[in-house]
Amino acid sequence: ARVSLPRTLRPVRTFFTKPAPSLRHSTRVQAAQEGAIATGQATSEGALKELTKDDFQQYLDDAPHLVVVDFYTDWCGPCKIILPKLIEMNAEYGDVEIVKFNCNQYNKELGKQLGIRVAPTFHLYKGGNKVAEMTGAKPDKLRELMDQYKQGTQRNQGAQGWRAH
């Protein structure tokens, strides 16, 4: 006679002992991108350049086009989630460059001077001057701002300046 064990006593089979090949690849790509971001270099996967307090203003002054600065922190979940979308947008827009600025201890003072209170915060610069800003991981809203300011069309800023949130 065959004895059948109740479901709760049956051995559990593990199907995923190691990541699928596509996950292993994406993990390597992500690690390469994070390494490139930390060193301020770009990789073939299109990682973003990272600025520090030492080269921030000079880079913006020298840029011949619209620059979008992503102010982020290492521990920010939404910052990590939006990173692949930013890399994709940076590759898509030839006349706009997206760069990163880590609001860590080394760069903290400049972050405070620029009024960064929330991560991620995005500032758009043209000719070294800030033309717009927004907070939050909202790629569609960022894309709208990039489209608006890469052409040079700006809303009436008034005395207070224009801010997108």
Side-chain angles (χ1 to χ4, degrees):
R2 188 171 184 192
V3 177
S4 178
L5 293 172
R7 286 189 146 197
T8 57
L9 297 177
R10 291 182 188 162
V12 177
R13 293 180 61 181
T14 304
F15 294 102
F16 301 105
T17 56
K18 49 184 161 173
S22 62
L23 293 177
R24 281 195 308 259
H25 172 72
S26 66
T27 303
R28 282 195 307 262
V29 169
Q30 182 180 1
Q33 291 170 344
E34 288 172 358
I37 289 169
T39 60
Q41 299 171 348
T43 67
S44 60
E45 286 84 16
L48 305 177
K49 176 173 180 51
E50 176 147 356
L51 303 179
T52 66
K53 65 180 182 179
D54 301 324
D55 60 358
F56 181 81
Q57 192 60 51
Q58 186 65 44
Y59 185 83
L60 297 177
D61 290 341
D62 293 345
H65 49 269
L66 181 67
V67 177
V68 178
V69 182
D70 172 18
F71 294 92
Y72 75 101
T73 60
D74 293 324
W75 48 264
C76 170
C79 299
K80 293 176 183 177
I81 291 170
I82 196 172
L83 178 61
K85 193 70 172 167
L86 295 176
I87 292 170
E88 178 184 307
M89 291 167 61
N90 192 48
E92 179 183 332
Y93 284 82
D95 51 352
V96 176
E97 184 171 8
I98 301 174
V99 297
K100 310 276 294 169
F101 184 88
N102 191 347
C103 295
N104 57 17
Q105 195 63 35
Y106 182 74
N107 295 318
K108 187 175 184 177
E109 193 57 40
L110 180 58
K112 280 183 172 181
Q113 290 174 8
L114 295 169
I116 306 303
R117 293 189 177 99
V118 177
T121 294
F122 298 93
H123 286 186
L124 283 74
Y125 291 88
K126 202 165 198 178
N129 299 313
K130 184 170 74 169
V131 294
E133 72 180 83
M134 65 168 268
T135 59
K138 302 174 256 188
D140 294 336
K141 184 82 166 174
L142 181 59
R143 188 178 296 275
E144 288 176 20
L145 284 175
M146 290 168 60
D147 288 338
Q148 178 183 350
Y149 285 96
K150 74 177 183 175
Q151 302 300 333
T153 58
Q154 298 178 15
R155 295 181 186 179
N156 184 1
Q157 291 189 7
Q160 296 291 348
W162 183 79
R163 296 174 66 149
H165 294 279

